[in-house]
C-alpha cells in the first residue's frame, strides 16, 4: 500500500461551518471580517480568537464534524481501487481525549481500514518539522492540504502537494501547486 499524507480540517472534514455555528450559539459572536481568508483572527476580526479555537477544538464538537464535499466517496475509492492508505497530520490539540474523538470521528465516517496513522500536533502548530520527517520516509508522497504555507513547504521538502480549494486560496500565491475543487479531482489526479 502506498501512503497519502493529508491534513484533516478543510480537507477531510468541515471544521469551519461547525466552528461558526458554535461561535454563534455559545459565544454570540459572528464572523465580521473577511470570510475569504484562512486565518480565523482575520475572518472574525478578532486578534484574540485563539482561545475560542482552542476551546472548540477541545470540546465534544470535534468528534462530530461532518465530511467535506465528496470526501467519503472518493477517499474510499482511492483506498479500495488505487491502493492508498491515509496518514492524517493535523494541528488539532495535544489533549488525548480530543485526539481520540477526532480519530473515532474519522474512522466512523471513512472506515478504520483507510487510515495508516494519525499524527496530532498542538492547536495551530506549524507542520514544517513533521513534513520534513515524512518526506524522508515517503519521498514524493502526495500531501493534501488547504493551508497554502503548508502545501508550499511540502513541495520544498519533496512531497507532491495538492491544495484543496477554498475561498482563501484566491488571495494567496499558489503557483505550481495543483488546486483541487473536490475529492473527485484528487481521485483523478491519482490515476482514477
Amino acid at each position: 500500500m502506498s501512503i497519502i499524507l493529508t491534513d484533516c480540517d478543510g480537507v477531510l472534514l468541515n471544521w469551519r461551518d461547525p466552528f461558526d455555528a458554535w461561535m454563534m450559539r455559545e459565544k454570540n459572536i459572528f464572523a465580521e471580517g473577511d470570510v475569504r481568508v484562512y486565518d480565523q483572527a482575520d475572518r472574525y476580526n478578532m486578534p484574540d480568537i485563539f482561545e475560542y479555537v482552542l476551546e472548540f477544538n477541545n470540546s465534544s464538537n470535534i468528534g462530530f464534524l461532518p465530511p467535506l464535499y465528496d470526501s467519503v466517496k472518493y477517499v474510499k475509492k482511492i483506498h479500495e481501487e488505487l491502493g492508498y492508505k491515509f496518514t492524517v497530520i493535523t494541528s488539532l490539540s495535544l489533549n488525548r481525549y480530543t485526539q481520540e474523538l477526532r480519530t473515532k470521528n474519522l474512522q466512523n465516517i471513512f472506515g478504520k481500514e483507510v487510515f495508516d496513522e494519525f499524527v496530532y500536533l498542538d492547536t495551530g502548530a506549524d507542520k514544517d518539522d513533521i513534513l520534513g520527517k515524512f518526506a524522508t520516509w515517503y519521498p514524493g508522497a502526495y500531501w493534501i492540504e488547504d493551508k497554502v504555507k503548508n502545501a508550499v513547504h511540502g513541495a520544498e521538502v519533496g512531497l507532491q502537494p495538492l491544495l484543496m480549494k477554498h475561498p482563501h486560496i484566491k488571495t494567496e500565491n499558489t503557483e505550481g501547486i495543483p488546486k483541487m475543487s473536490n475529492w473527485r479531482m484528487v481521485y483523478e489526479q491519482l490515476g482514477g
Side-chain angles (χ1 to χ4, degrees), residues 2-17:
S2 297
I3 295 293
I4 293 176
L5 307 173
T6 184
D7 181 33
C8 185
D9 299 309
V11 176
L12 293 170
L13 299 176
N14 181 346
W15 180 91
R16 187 168 131 159
D17 293 339

Side-chain angles (χ1 to χ4, degrees), residues 53 65 87 92 150 177:
V53 171
L65 298 183
T87 292
L92 174 69
N150 290 336
I177 300 174

